[in-house]
Amino acid sequence: MVIVGAGAFGASLAWQLARDGVSVTLVDQFEPGDARATSGGETRLIRSGHGADSEYTASARRARTLWRELEAECGEELYVECGVTWFARAEDGWEAATMRVLAAQGIPFERLAPDEGNRLFPSWSSAGLAFLLHEPEAGVLRAQKAVRALARRAAAHGAAVVRSRARPEGAAVRLGDGRTLEADAVVWACGAWLGRLFPELAPIASTRQELYFFAGGSAWAARGVPAFVDYDHAVYGTADVDGLGVKAASDHDGPPLDPDAPLPTPGADGEARVRAILAERFPALAAAPLAGAKSCRYELTPDGHFLAAPHPEHPSAWLLGGGSGHGFKHGPAIAERLAVALRGGAPMPARFGLCERAPGRSVRTAGGSRSTVLREARPASSAPGARD
Ligand SMILES: Cc1cc2nc3c(=O)[nH]c(=O)nc-3n(C[C@H](O)[C@H](O)[C@H](O)COP(=O)(O)OP(=O)(O)OC[C@H]3O[C@@H](n4cnc5c(N)ncnc54)[C@H](O)[C@@H]3O)c2cc1C
């Protein structure tokens, strides 16, 4: 088995297969966890809540178990189980649908009155909220460390980890040094580069996203402060994990960014927008000094659903990716399902196929119109110009 791409998806698959005794070669153009790959950020949220979507809910929950297994194998704390709190602006919106699915799957959650945010966060305003949905067993993954751990553990189980820029050659893999790798199966898990490698097949758009970190003081660094999602206002963030500062980001689609282009320094406009939204909920952060800012790339499918499908002309070659802003947490669970599908077991979900992808929900964002149904957060309205 050859896997090209050692991000959350590819490295998870390499780890799972190698520990099952499969012979694996894991190829990446960078060292695993490189900041130019989408999985190379310091932190990513993990939460089971996915609105009414029971399949992603179950996947995230299964992934939590698998991340824990990885932790146990590598002896590192990769998962900060601080909880995730959702800010519900309506009684019967995304969060209410989420609660119904969590309840049906036996996943712990609490429905809290808006004022109870006072006991969760060091600074709080409940303005505009109908209730809070708190997932105590959700939290933050140390993404870059986790990806490195996946690749390391894959190698420990016998996988060969090769650094090279690869390209498809029929069903095989041509490495940068001219060698060709052939295998029973090849999986191209190439993140934002998938669209370039398979332009006719992979409808992946690469966009620039910005993250901001604010120096909120020691209260935000306390272990139990949850991560948060304001789904309707398309903002999410974390408390101060590992001294990075309070993280906040907009989930609106950013402008297109070539996968090979350097990651630009975020601008002051983005900071002002995120700071204003953050200050509404956490007033003490209104004037918090900026501790850091960075850009990264989303690799978006039109409908926000992942891509995991065989190549139509070379069925032993698979395309895997399209994390669409919510893929990291699912990495090991999607890999587990794909490992089964590769052995001829249960197929991957039809919606992860190379089918026509219609935007699930067209919204006006900084980068244009696109579905944002399933990411860490989602804009409030489909009305053009309603945000940004
Ligand atoms: C700002 C931001 C915040 C996010 N927040 C969250 C979150 O809170 N929770 C969550 O679950 N998800 C989140 N996501 C989404 C998540 O991080 C991604 O969906 C996921 O990391 C994608 O993993 P991947 O393995 O598909 O891609 P990548 O991590 O990009 O890995 C692809 C790998 O393929 C390699 N590669 C590409 N082409 C080639 C080639 N030709 N030859 C060799 N190697 C190649 C690359 O070098 C790279 O290492 C966020 C994303 C961003 C950008």
Side-chain angles (χ1 to χ4, degrees):
M1 157 82 59
V2 176
I3 300 163
V4 184
F9 284 142
S12 291
L13 185 63
W15 172 56
Q16 307 246 334
L17 290 172
R19 79 173 177 168
D20 284 352
V22 176
S23 164
V24 173
T25 301
L26 177 62
V27 181
D28 203 295
Q29 60 192 343
F30 308 138
E31 289 299 320
D34 189 286
R36 289 167 285 185
T38 308
S39 306
E42 287 96 348
T43 58
R44 294 289 183 260
L45 300 195
I46 173 164
R47 37 86 189 181
S48 293
H50 280 74
D53 198 306
S54 56
E55 189 174 43
Y56 281 121
T57 302
S59 169
R61 187 67 177 171
R62 173 65 185 150
R64 174 179 174 273
T65 302
L66 294 169
W67 286 118
R68 286 291 193 217
E69 283 178 21
L70 177 67
E71 277 186 319
E73 264 196 31
C74 72
E76 253 185 287
E77 195 203 36
L78 303 171
Y79 184 0
V80 182
E81 200 166 79
C82 52
V84 169
T85 304
W86 300 78
F87 303 153
R89 291 173 178 273
E91 281 297 337
D92 202 21
W94 165 274
E95 295 80 7
T98 296
M99 287 194 298
R100 289 191 282 274
V101 177
L102 295 178
Q105 296 191 12
I107 299 170
F109 70 90
E110 294 171 76
R111 187 192 195 283
L112 302 173
D115 283 350
E116 291 186 80
N118 273 320
R119 68 172 174 82
L120 296 173
F121 297 99
S123 167
W124 182 247
S125 162
S126 59
L129 297 186
F131 67 93
L132 304 177
L133 164 57
H134 183 66
E135 279 189 64
E137 294 184 357
V140 176
L141 288 161
R142 294 190 167 100
Q144 185 181 55
K145 285 185 180 159
V147 165
R148 288 180 178 158
L150 286 167
R152 230 178 22 251
R153 291 308 304 160
H157 290 296
V161 181
V162 174
R163 183 153 178 194
S164 181
R165 184 147 176 151
R167 63 182 165 80
E169 197 171 71
V173 176
R174 171 61 75 104
L175 298 181
D177 62 8
R179 277 184 298 152
T180 300
L181 303 179
E182 289 176 353
D184 293 347
V186 172
V187 176
W188 296 88
C190 294
W193 288 266
L194 256 188
R196 169 167 307 170
L197 290 166
F198 301 96
E200 309 297 323
L201 297 175
I204 305 280
S206 173
T207 62
R208 164 187 166 184
Q209 307 299 139
E210 296 180 342
L211 298 169
Y212 295 91
F213 299 85
F214 299 94
S218 58
W220 285 94
R223 254 192 104 73
V225 183
F228 52 89
V229 184
D230 186 334
Y231 184 77
D232 286 333
H233 281 200
V235 170
Y236 66 94
T238 72
D240 184 345
V241 176
D242 297 339
L244 295 165
V246 178
K247 169 174 151 181
S250 162
D251 195 32
H252 291 290
D253 297 358
L257 180 64
D258 187 281
D260 285 319
L263 289 165
T265 307
D269 286 3
E271 178 196 340
R273 274 199 299 273
V274 166
R275 185 188 284 279
I277 294 174
L278 204 61
E280 243 173 52
R281 191 61 55 219
F282 308 123
L285 294 179
L290 188 68
K294 55 173 61 181
S295 303
C296 60
R297 286 182 188 85
Y298 274 165
E299 66 295 320
L300 299 166
T301 60
D303 60 4
H305 294 305
F306 305 153
L307 182 63
H311 191 292
E313 287 161 31
H314 310 289
S316 63
W318 280 67
L319 278 55
L320 175 64
S324 302
H326 68 121
F328 192 93
K329 69 181 85 52
H330 294 278
I334 296 298
E336 185 177 57
R337 291 181 77 169
L338 183 55
V340 171
L342 289 171
R343 287 186 202 110
M348 295 304 283
R351 63 181 173 173
F352 294 177
L354 298 174
C355 47
E356 192 75 13
R357 303 280 186 116
R361 190 169 184 279
S362 183
V363 290
R364 179 88 192 135
T365 69
S369 293
R370 179 168 293 283
S371 159
T372 50
V373 182
L374 288 160
R375 279 181 251 140
E376 291 317 313
R378 177 215 58 175
S381 154
S382 58
R387 290 166 306 281
D388 289 316

